């Protein structure tokens, strides 16, 4: 059975389930890894609305994680209510990545994902994230080292290449499949494209046609129209990032037509911020709250004003007061 989405007279369906190695995810929808956002409090909010099959951690530095860096251990935490959880690691040293993967499995992750797509120069200048797309051999060494050390499903998340002259997604897909990777999350843009223009649906369709492991399509899904365009590629599942930060209920909206008013973001923020305060040291908590509020403000009428005021917030109390002030003005 599948979930029908009639868009422009054509029906494309979100698969009811996807099998990734031994793991079954229902439905085939994924909350993407988003640095600074997809921590426990945020993932639990997305889960509360429903419609999401599995959630990703934000990218976890294999270096910091294996050195037991306190901040990273906070970021790497997840709770019972979030499963299945895909634990994403980033780095470039095969043995260190394998150590991190082993720790993630021991911590209870349901699957391990390797970040081979992050375009941020803070990551790529160390040769990690999408910089790995320039080094198939190193990427293979990482995958093979990790594969040997974990028994949970292994996935990779890629872009299509470093730039349009080096589209390597097919080579990476084949190499990954040959080395025991169980699924590929594919954001159909090059590193150079960052978030510009539209995602290349034809690349996602091509990769899907070339592999026997599942391919999950990612990029630009914000509504039924864009969801439909992604499903048309024939992908086995879909992943959403930015739309989920603006609307944590996006999966439920797309799958069961849940309608939520922008004003509902305030109680969501209050709940999320209380959890953030409980979990993180004050400085990190405030940083997280400001990041989250900045994204949510894009869905709130008058959100620009909220963003302006955010730049003057220096304490958690001020932050909570700001939310309180705005809450009354929007329904
Ligand atoms: C603020 C931000 C942080 C991100 N952090 C990560 C990350 O930690 N790991 C990763 O693989 N991708 C990361 N991404 C990329 C997303 O997971 C996703 O591939 C991309 O945003 C395209 O999906 P979308 O169009 O649904 O946003 C990030 C994207 C954004 C906007």
């Amino acid at each position: 059975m599948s979930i029908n989405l009639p868009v422009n007279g054509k029906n494309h369906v979100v698969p009811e389930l996807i099998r990734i190695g031994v793991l079954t995810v229902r439905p085939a929808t994924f909350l993407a890894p988003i640095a600074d956002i997809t921590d426990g409090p945020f993932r639990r909010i997305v889960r509360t609305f429903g419609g999401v099959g599995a959630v990703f951690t934000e990218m976890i530095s294999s270096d910091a994680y294996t050195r037991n860096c306190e901040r990273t251990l906070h970021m790497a935490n997840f709770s019972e209510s979030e499963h299945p959880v895909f634990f994403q690691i980033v780095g470039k040293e095969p043995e260190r990545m394998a150590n991190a993967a082993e720790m993630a499995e021991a911590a209870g992750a349901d699957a391990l994902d390797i970040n081979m797509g992050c375009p941020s120069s803070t990551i790529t200048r160390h040769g990690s994230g999408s910089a790995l797309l320039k080094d198939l051999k190193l990427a293979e060494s990482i995958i093979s080292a990790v594969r040997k050390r974990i028994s949970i499903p292994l996935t990779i998340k890629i872009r299509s290449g470093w730039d349009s002259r080096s589209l390597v997604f097919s080579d990476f897909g084949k190499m990954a499949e040959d080395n025991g990777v169980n699924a590929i999350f594919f954001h159909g843009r090059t590193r150079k494209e960052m978030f510009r223009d539209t995602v290349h649906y034809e690349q996602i369709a091509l990769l899907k046609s070339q592999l026997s492991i599942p391919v999950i399509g990612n990029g630009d899904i914000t509504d039924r129209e864009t969801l439909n365009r992604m499903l048309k590629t024939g992908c086995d599942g879909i992943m959403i990032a930015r739309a989920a930060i603006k609307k944590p209920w996006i999966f439920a909206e797309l799958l069961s037509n849940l309608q939520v008013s922008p004003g509902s973001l305030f109680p969501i923020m209050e709940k999320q911020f209380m959890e953030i305060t409980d979990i993180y040291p004050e400085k990190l908590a405030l940083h997280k709250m400001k990041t989250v509020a900045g994204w949510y403000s894009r869905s709130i009428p008058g959100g620009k004003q909220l963003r302006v005021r955010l730049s003057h917030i220096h304490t958690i109390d001020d932050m909570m007061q700001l939310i309180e002030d705005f809450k009354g003005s929007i329904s």
Side-chain angles (χ1 to χ4, degrees):
M1 208 183 101
S2 307
I3 297 151
N4 282 299
L5 291 172
V7 183
N8 284 349
K10 292 182 195 137
N11 271 350
H12 291 284
V13 295
V14 174
E16 192 198 18
L17 60 84
I18 177 172
R19 291 190 208 284
I20 297 183
V22 294
L23 182 68
T24 302
V25 174
R26 288 171 200 273
T29 57
F30 296 82
L31 172 65
I34 311 171
D36 271 341
I37 302 281
T38 53
D39 60 356
F42 182 76
R43 293 190 302 257
R44 289 190 280 278
I45 280 172
V46 174
R47 275 263 177 242
T48 310
F49 285 109
V52 66
V55 296
F56 267 63
T57 64
E58 50 192 311
M59 64 181 147
I60 302 294
S61 152
S62 57
D63 200 43
Y65 189 46
T66 52
R67 290 182 204 281
N68 291 317
C69 162
E70 198 190 338
R71 182 185 161 125
T72 306
L73 293 176
H74 278 303
M75 287 160 55
N77 246 326
F78 48 87
S79 63
E80 273 310 307
S81 61
E82 298 170 35
H83 291 290
V85 173
F86 281 59
F87 192 105
Q88 188 187 67
I89 55 173
V90 64
K92 67 159 190 185
E93 293 168 39
E95 278 315 302
R96 196 169 279 282
M97 291 287 272
N99 289 342
E102 207 171 59
M103 283 171 68
E105 177 167 17
D110 299 282
L112 192 286
D113 180 74
I114 302 176
N115 180 329
M116 296 191 171
C118 178
S120 160
S121 54
T122 37
I123 299 295
T124 57
R125 72 165 169 257
H126 300 295
S128 306
S130 59
L132 288 171
L133 297 173
K134 293 195 280 190
D135 194 340
L136 185 79
K137 278 273 155 254
L138 177 58
E140 183 168 18
S141 305
I142 294 170
I143 288 172
S144 124
V146 169
R147 181 69 287 175
K148 282 189 198 118
R149 299 272 288 281
I150 57 169
S151 56
I152 51 175
L154 173 61
T155 63
I156 60 172
K157 182 163 176 287
I158 60 169
R159 283 183 172 237
S160 50
W162 183 257
D163 58 29
S164 58
R165 285 166 306 156
S166 56
L167 297 177
V168 293
F169 58 94
S170 296
D171 298 339
F172 267 69
K174 284 247 166 304
M175 176 276 285
E177 191 167 76
D178 291 346
N179 282 278
V181 165
N182 300 106
I184 300 195
F185 293 86
F186 185 20
H187 179 193
R189 282 189 173 92
T190 63
R191 189 270 177 181
K192 197 169 175 197
E193 285 171 321
M194 300 297 274
F195 291 93
R196 281 191 301 277
D197 305 325
T198 50
V199 69
H200 299 287
Y201 296 100
E202 74 287 357
Q203 296 176 349
I204 297 172
L206 180 59
L207 187 64
K208 167 64 196 158
S209 72
Q210 292 170 329
L211 301 182
S212 44
I213 55 173
V215 173
I216 295 96
N218 169 232
D220 298 354
I221 300 173
T222 55
D223 54 20
R224 285 184 169 226
E225 188 65 43
T226 45
L227 173 63
N228 203 41
R229 286 191 73 183
M230 184 58 80
L231 290 170
K232 247 168 110 173
T233 64
C235 61
D236 300 283
I238 59 106
M239 167 179 264
I240 300 181
R242 287 167 296 170
I245 327 179
K246 294 180 201 152
K247 288 180 174 183
W249 57 85
I250 186 74
F251 294 97
E253 181 180 301
L254 292 175
L255 271 68
S256 19
N257 211 17
L258 177 77
Q259 298 297 316
V260 176
S261 70
S264 310
L265 275 170
F266 289 102
I268 290 172
M269 265 192 271
E270 281 175 333
K271 182 171 183 295
Q272 193 173 342
F273 288 1
M274 274 193 281
E275 277 202 51
I276 286 176
T277 313
D278 283 348
I279 295 175
Y280 301 109
E282 181 164 353
K283 202 169 154 208
L284 179 56
L286 189 60
H287 167 72
K288 289 220 163 244
M289 288 176 185
K290 288 170 91 167
T291 310
V292 168
W295 277 96
Y296 283 169
S297 70
R298 289 156 209 264
S299 302
I300 297 171
K304 191 168 171 206
Q305 256 182 304
L306 195 149
R307 285 197 293 283
V308 170
R309 284 193 50 193
L310 273 179
S311 54
H312 302 291
I313 297 291
H314 301 294
T315 67
I316 289 177
D317 284 347
D318 288 350
M319 185 73 218
M320 293 312 242
Q321 188 57 51
L322 176 65
I323 301 307
E324 192 60 36
D325 291 350
F326 268 79
K327 196 162 92 178
S329 61
I330 294 161
S331 55

